[in-house]
Every structure is written in C-alpha cells, then in structure tokens.
Amino acid sequence: MRTTLLALAALLASSPALADTLVTNANGVQVDAKGKLERFTGMLIGDDGKVKRLLHGEMLKLSRTKVVDAKGRTVMPGLIDAHGHVMALGFTALQLDLTGTSSLAGLQARLKAYAKANPDSRWILGRGWNQELWPDKRFPTAADIDAIVSDRPVWLGRVDGHAGIANSAAMQAAGFALNTQAPTGGRIEHGLFVDAAMSLIESKIPAPTAAEQDAALIAVQRMMLSNGLTAAADMGTAPDEWSAMERAGKAGTLNVRILSYAGGIAGMRAINGGKPSDWLYGDRLHLGGVKLYADGALGSRGAWLKQPYADKPETRGLQFLTDDQILDQANAAASGGYQLAIHAIGDAANAQVISTYEQLGKKYPGDRRWRIEHFQIADPADIPRLKPAGIIASMQPTHQTSDRLMAEARLGPNRLKGAYAWQTIEKLGVPLAFGSDFPVESPNPFPGLAAAVSRQDMNGQPPGGWIPEERMSFEQALAGFTRGAAYAGFAETRIGSLEPGKWADFIIVDRDVSKVDPQALAHTEVSETWVAGNKVWERASNAARVERGR
Ligand SMILES: [Zn+2]
C-alpha cells in the first residue's frame, strides 16, 4: 500500500496535469485586490495549470479529478522576488561553501572533497572562510592551498568579500610574478589578495561555459523553489544568461518564472534582437525591461547623497551618470518599448531618477510603470513626487535590517526620515514591490516578510523596530512579495494571487504565516512548491515522514 502511494506521488509530481486538480482542506491565505487578507479553503485547478475556482468552504463533488489534501496546512500564492540576480545566486550555490570552517584543516578537508567531487571544473571557486574563527587566527597562504590542490587554480573568498586566497596555479594563471605590485587600495601576502588586489585574480577567472550556466540555472531554481519563490525579476540579465534561460525553457527544465531586465543598454541591444520578448514557455520567461544604475551602494559610500557622508565629510558618494546621460539611456530603452528599472540608493540619485522619469512621462504617456530599484535613502521632500510620476518603489526589507547600523553611521541621526520609508510610500499610494536582491541577501522571502512587519533583524533587534512608524502590516508585506511584485513586472494578470485565470503557483508552508509573530514568520519553512498546477519541489523530510508511515 505504501509503495503504491509513493509511486502515485512520484507520478503526480513528474507528469503534467492531465485532469483537473482539486486542492482541499487548505488554510488558504492571500491578499485580495483591495489589499485585504483573504482566506480560502481550497481551489480547483484546470488541466492547463491555471486556477479555475477558489473555494471558501464549499464542497465540490467532481469526477475524474485529482484530489490534493492539504491536511489543514497553510497554502499561499507562490512568492515573487521583485529584485534578484538569478544566475549569480546559481553560481553561488555551485561554489565551495566554506562558511563556518573552524580551522585551516577544516577548510582543507572541504576543499579536498569539493575538488574530488568536481573533477571537471577548470577553476575551483569558494567563499566564506573566516580565520578569526580558527584557533591560531592565521591567514591561509598559497602553500596551504597548494598542499591540497595544485593541478588547477583555486580562489577562495573570505567571508566579508574583502580578501581572497589563491593557490600557486591561480597566481600563475593571473600572470603573477614575485615583483608584482599590489594596486593602490590593495595588498598581497603569500597568496592572500586584499581589497583592490583581488581583481588581479578575479579578472582572470574564465567566463562560465554554457554547461556551467545550465548547472547554475538548475541550482538556483532549487534554491528558489525550496524557499517558496515561484518567480523573480532578474535585474540585469546578461546575454549569455538569457541564452541559458532560453535553453532551459526549450528543454522544459524551467520551473520558475523569470521576469528579465536586460543589463544596461548594451545588454538590451544584445538580447532577443533588441526587442522585448513575448511571454515564453508558458509564461516562464519574459524580457520586459532594462536595468540601469544611477549610483553605487551605501556600505562602500558609493551611494550618491545630497549632503556629505556623516562619517566621511569629504565625499557625497558617486554620481554614475549626468542628467543628460541618464535621460539619454532611459530614452533609448523607453522608445524601444521597454520598462525601466533604475538602481538608486542615495537621496541625490533618487532625486535624479525621479526627475528623469518625470521627463520621460511627458514623452511616453500611458502605463509605463517606471521602477526605482532600492529607493533606500530619499529626501522626504522627494517622496511625494513618486505617485504623480507613475513610479514604482522596488525595495528590499532585509536591506533595512542588515544596513541599519551602517546607515545610521553614514547618514547621522538627522537624515533617516526618508530611509527605507515603506509605510510613508505606501500611504502616498505608490505601488511597492518587495524583494531580496539575492545573492546580496538570502533569497528566503520569509525573513523579508518578517523584516517588513517588524523592522527588526533575526535577533529581534532593535526592540520595537527601527523607525517603527515605517513598519508594514502583514497584508501589506505579503502584497509586496505577491501582487505588488507581479504588478511591478506587468505580470498581475498571470501571477501574484490565486484567482480564476491566473497560474496555480502556490506553496504549502509549515505554519499559519498570518498569525505567528515576526520571529516565527522569519523561520517559516516551505513544505511544497507548485508551479502551474504541478508539484515541482517537496521538502525531503516530508518524504521521510511519508516513508515512516505518517
Ligand atoms: Zn541588485
């Protein structure tokens, strides 16, 4: 009997739906069109993978219908990350993970196992070691790495991304000689490359092959689905990345939905013949926009500010483009029918991008949904300009919790009023979309939901939340990761909620996310992930429980 059930489960998981599917006994939670929490008990899914009907307690008696008993568990729409870097996350997943190694010998053991498991990788890339956690706190040397792998280059980044250790083969590949000088802002010691010196090695790492791209795309899909993400906006797709996504779409191995924004004007011209794409492969891939940059990041003081940095008064950060240049680039994209998504973090950059969009709006009236990516630090006087200009704020709740102390240092106490100001933005009627900026932050959207409602980090800091008046309600936060993210990608008729005509993309989670406190919300675990009415991921521990006869 147990074997039969398992065989049936395997069949259902792998084969496309051939009949309607009825999900019953669900504790369904989603946000309705008015932004209110909607509860449902089940849904009927057509054999086309789309929702036919949402159930609110009524019983359906249907023949020739597969029944999926949710057993009272919480069912919600698949979550959407409105700003991520899909292939970068995939490559991160494929690299050697050295986080938590407690000694050099521990690093060496993991390196040895990884090299053995990946005999074909031309370079071995890893990250995450921290010598401060090792007994003698000594930095590793090239000789330490050569002792384990000497036949091919090895490059292992420190946990903070500000240093890396190379083996001799990597230094040789980089043309390194004993008299090679470290560039300004960098340092080299026995194979340890610090800050600006890191580019000596990193610039020599070969571009990934098509096979490596394909592997990364498989890896990132597993990460997304296991975290409850069924779709993501890919911010800055490169031409070779687009090709990998197309290959997966054609091969039928694309199980998530990717809303692609070409990386810059050059990327735009090189992808899909320089035109936005159709919705491809059952709405699993769409090139609809172009990503541009107006400034850098706050941590490295690259964010462009109206006033000098509080902790470095000689700089206001980096202005990437003049007003004319950014308008020219935006025009090039808008005239081609693309949506625009412009990275702006500092208040000066945000003001420049708002002005750019105000001008574009006159030239391109209609529903253009101009996006600002991050919108982290805004002059409170500029925030009311968003709504009239038709701008969407695409923001990342976990940036707020990760950046809090750094932002206070960079800006000082008196310029935080328009920082990560979600509720102020929401109250002005500006569409909000939430994401993570993975792999900068974890792709897991549940800590993002928790950060949005609490403005506290995973340790509950600070008590009461940082600038607590900017906290979101649970409905608002969930909308940011579902309806809002779909709207920001012109995808709201396809995904973002479970209602007739939209794809049956949903997840089953281990707790009622609408009722738990923020700490518990952050630790929500996904049990199953369904895309277009098919189960595409299931937590292994569930399978183990099934086998034990539960
Ligand atoms: Zn980003």
Side-chain angles (χ1 to χ4, degrees):
M1 182 62 191
R2 193 189 299 164
T3 319
T4 318
L5 277 176
L6 279 174
L8 182 64
L11 190 69
L12 290 180
S14 60
S15 66
L18 293 170
D20 286 0
T21 302
L22 181 65
V23 179
T24 62
N25 201 11
N27 172 41
V29 175
Q30 68 174 344
V31 180
D32 72 12
K34 292 190 176 130
K36 295 268 181 304
L37 208 61
E38 176 185 14
R39 297 191 182 274
F40 57 94
T41 56
M43 76 188 119
L44 183 63
I45 303 166
D47 64 5
D48 60 356
K50 291 182 177 169
V51 178
K52 267 186 165 173
R53 186 171 162 186
L54 202 64
L55 305 177
H56 300 87
E58 67 272 40
M59 292 299 202
L60 290 188
K61 285 258 184 298
L62 300 163
S63 56
R64 287 175 41 76
T65 299
K66 284 183 310 204
V67 175
V68 175
D69 185 349
K71 300 192 178 112
R73 290 176 297 171
T74 296
V75 174
M76 56 198 290
L79 298 173
I80 306 169
D81 193 310
H83 181 125
H85 302 276
V86 170
M87 297 301 288
L89 180 63
F91 282 113
T92 304
L94 291 181
Q95 287 181 7
L96 167 59
D97 181 6
L98 296 168
T99 48
T101 39
S102 55
S103 63
L104 173 62
L107 177 151
Q108 289 174 320
R110 282 200 212 174
L111 173 59
K112 189 171 187 176
Y114 184 89
K116 195 167 172 224
N118 296 276
D120 298 330
S121 49
R122 296 163 295 163
W123 278 58
I124 291 178
L125 303 173
R127 82 209 125 73
W129 57 269
N130 181 358
Q131 87 292 344
E132 289 294 316
L133 305 176
W134 300 354
D136 59 359
K137 302 190 189 226
R138 173 175 76 77
F139 278 106
T141 65
D144 295 328
I145 309 301
D146 288 344
I148 309 300
V149 178
S150 56
D151 61 338
R152 51 191 156 147
V154 177
W155 174 243
L156 308 173
R158 193 177 182 276
V159 65
D160 62 358
H162 284 274
I165 184 72
N167 69 350
S168 297
M171 291 195 280
Q172 205 172 10
F176 183 84
L178 276 178
N179 59 357
T180 301
Q181 297 285 314
T184 318
R187 191 155 52 87
I188 305 170
E189 279 165 16
H190 309 295
L192 183 78
F193 290 70
V194 182
D195 281 326
M198 296 171 71
S199 69
L200 291 176
I201 302 288
E202 290 180 339
S203 62
K204 297 297 187 300
I205 298 170
T209 63
E212 287 164 349
Q213 299 263 16
D214 294 346
L217 189 50
I218 287 173
V220 71
Q221 292 190 67
R222 203 181 312 121
M223 282 181 94
M224 284 177 62
L225 295 170
S226 64
N227 281 302
L229 292 172
T230 53
D234 186 43
M235 278 297 155
T237 311
D240 59 339
E241 296 175 341
W242 175 260
S243 301
M245 293 165 189
E246 280 191 322
R247 281 196 300 278
K250 284 179 189 146
T253 55
L254 203 51
N255 281 322
V256 300
R257 304 185 191 280
I258 300 173
L259 316 179
S260 166
Y261 292 74
I265 300 301
M268 171 188 103
R269 298 205 165 112
I271 296 175
N272 197 51
K275 293 192 300 294
S277 81
D278 294 331
W279 287 85
L280 305 166
Y281 319 118
D283 291 351
R284 285 177 178 81
L285 183 62
H286 179 238
L287 172 70
V290 177
K291 162 92 180 291
L292 302 175
Y293 283 86
D295 68 345
L298 198 59
S300 53
R301 297 190 188 83
W304 176 28
L305 300 179
K306 291 187 175 186
Q307 301 298 326
Y309 277 81
D311 57 357
K312 201 176 184 199
E314 62 272 30
T315 182
R316 290 173 46 213
L318 301 173
Q319 174 180 0
F320 280 15
L321 301 166
T322 66
D323 292 353
D324 284 347
Q325 284 170 333
I326 196 165
L327 189 60
D328 277 357
Q329 291 195 12
N331 245 318
S335 66
Y338 292 91
Q339 188 187 15
L340 271 152
I342 307 183
H343 164 121
I345 289 187
D347 52 5
N350 276 300
Q352 185 194 45
V353 176
I354 294 170
S355 298
T356 304
Y357 284 151
E358 284 169 345
Q359 294 175 70
L360 281 188
K362 291 182 197 127
K363 199 164 168 190
Y364 306 99
D367 186 8
R368 300 301 296 248
R369 304 189 196 177
W370 316 114
R371 295 175 58 140
I372 297 184
E373 300 307 311
H374 309 308
F375 200 71
Q376 279 177 19
I377 312 300
D379 181 338
D382 287 328
I383 300 179
R385 296 166 66 195
L386 294 175
K387 173 80 177 166
I391 294 171
I392 294 171
S394 165
M395 303 179 71
Q396 298 75 33
T398 44
H399 278 338
Q400 183 271 302
T401 46
S402 299
D403 292 358
R404 173 174 62 92
L405 297 175
M406 181 267 289
E408 286 177 349
R410 298 284 181 276
L411 297 166
N414 302 323
R415 285 191 286 164
L416 298 169
K417 194 99 189 66
Y420 314 86
W422 311 317
Q423 194 58 256
T424 299
I425 294 166
E426 171 94 9
K427 283 203 183 105
L428 288 166
V430 177
L432 265 168
F434 279 159
S436 68
D437 202 9
F438 64 69
V440 176
E441 301 281 351
S442 158
N444 185 345
F446 292 98
L449 283 166
V453 298
S454 68
R455 291 175 77 93
Q456 291 175 325
D457 63 21
M458 295 287 273
N459 302 316
Q461 292 300 317
W466 189 71
I467 318 183
E469 57 273 25
E470 297 294 351
R471 282 176 305 190
M472 302 291 270
S473 68
F474 174 74
E475 296 90 304
Q476 291 171 332
L478 181 58
F481 280 102
T482 53
R483 283 182 176 273
Y487 179 83
F490 281 98
E492 75 278 10
T493 59
R494 303 163 201 273
I495 54 175
S497 62
L498 297 164
E499 53 190 307
K502 295 196 197 181
W503 291 108
D505 295 358
F506 62 95
I507 57 178
I508 303 179
V509 297
D510 69 345
R511 63 199 72 188
D512 186 339
V513 287
S514 68
K515 291 187 176 150
V516 295
D517 65 37
Q519 291 296 308
L521 177 59
H523 290 94
T524 301
E525 285 200 342
V526 177
S527 307
E528 296 178 19
T529 304
W530 294 62
V531 172
N534 282 304
K535 183 158 65 182
V536 289
W537 185 85
E538 181 171 18
R539 186 167 295 279
S541 57
N542 287 355
R545 254 181 259 138
V546 170
E547 275 186 320
R548 284 198 304 271
R550 246 197 71 183

